[in-house]
Amino acid sequence: MACTEPSFESNPPLDPSLSTEKLSDQDVRAIVKLLGQTVVVPGDLRAKRRFLISELAKLIDADVWAWFHGNIPDTADHQPAQVLDGGWANDEQRIKSFISTESPEAQDLQRHFPTITQKQLTFVRASVLTREQWHATPFFVKHRDPIGLDDFLFTFYPLDDKGACSCIGMHRFHGREPFNARDAKVMHLVLSEIDWLHRDGINIDRKS
């Protein structure tokens, strides 16, 4: 069965809060339950972060997830750190995916991404590129297609006024339906309520 683009492809909102997509009662209950469970997870904050992000991936049916601290743009002061990830098909897929983020093709792809500001930003691939455009990018052709990865969904959560941010990426394998407005809204809402976990493990003061 062919995959279909989200119905909001023609004018997708970059801010999920502006979406007309209504979350079901089931989704709302699942979000509240996940946030509550995360607080009482045994272990340190890293364990709580791993629990939350892996369960969020299940909630939006993502195959692969990654959470790291970075800087927009990258600087010597805040290189990516505290990486948590999971769901990979194999070690080769994981390694090649991480290597690809430093490629010239990745830098070129980021030209299509919205500007990161002092406000949390969540967007699906369909918000910035149609499927045809995405599949024609050098990044997809050279780095994603060969390892079986396709659609993506990102959240950037600013940590200060100098570009440091908490970055979360969700990904789907080949043949899966694209992420949609519901997925973006669920992810945005969950990650908007955990400032304390975004800041775990990084020495950056709360933004004013």
Side-chain angles (χ1 to χ4, degrees):
M1 180 180 297
C3 297
T4 58
E5 283 286 67
S7 59
F8 61 98
E9 177 76 21
S10 60
N11 188 26
L14 288 173
D15 183 347
S17 65
L18 301 178
S19 170
T20 58
E21 182 79 10
K22 301 293 185 181
L23 293 183
S24 67
D25 290 345
Q26 182 179 0
D27 280 336
V28 173
R29 286 193 294 268
I31 291 172
V32 173
K33 181 179 179 180
L34 175 56
L35 292 172
Q37 288 178 322
T38 299
V39 174
V40 298
V41 166
D44 58 13
L45 292 182
R46 186 178 176 88
K48 296 179 188 296
R49 289 174 66 211
R50 179 171 289 278
F51 172 82
L52 181 136
I53 197 64
S54 60
E55 292 300 311
L56 175 58
K58 295 176 185 177
L59 191 55
I60 62 175
D61 200 21
D63 295 308
V64 173
W65 53 268
W67 187 348
F68 63 93
H69 291 127
N71 208 70
I72 308 297
D74 288 338
T75 68
D77 293 332
H78 298 302
Q79 289 296 313
Q82 281 272 18
V83 175
L84 290 174
D85 57 286
W88 305 98
N90 50 59
D91 288 342
E92 180 183 17
Q93 184 185 64
R94 178 178 184 269
I95 293 170
K96 288 185 175 181
S97 180
F98 279 122
I99 291 175
S100 74
T101 63
E102 301 297 325
S103 68
E105 293 81 15
Q107 299 301 314
D108 182 65
L109 176 67
Q110 291 172 18
R111 294 188 301 103
H112 300 283
F113 289 3
T115 301
I116 309 300
T117 65
Q118 291 301 294
K119 181 180 179 182
Q120 179 186 351
L121 176 67
T122 302
F123 63 95
V124 297
R125 184 272 309 156
S127 294
V128 294
L129 292 167
T130 66
R131 177 185 289 137
E132 291 73 20
Q133 291 171 333
W134 164 232
H135 285 176
T137 63
F139 182 75
F140 179 84
V141 172
K142 184 175 180 179
H143 299 290
R144 297 279 285 197
D145 192 36
I147 60 174
L149 289 177
D150 195 346
D151 214 49
F152 61 78
L153 165 58
F154 289 126
T155 281
F156 294 94
Y157 186 92
L159 298 173
D160 64 11
D161 59 0
K162 299 177 182 179
C165 67
S166 178
C167 312
I168 297 89
M170 297 287 183
H171 309 270
R172 284 181 177 164
F173 295 149
H174 280 173
R176 299 290 315 283
E177 292 290 330
F179 289 106
N180 57 32
R182 175 262 178 191
D183 302 325
K185 180 168 282 190
V186 168
M187 181 157 155
H188 188 86
L189 288 175
V190 169
L191 296 176
S192 70
E193 299 299 320
I194 54 161
D195 184 80
W196 54 291
L197 284 182
H198 286 295
R199 296 177 184 282
D200 168 46
I202 190 165
N203 186 26
I204 293 178
D205 292 333
R206 188 181 304 273
K207 63 181 183 294
S208 60

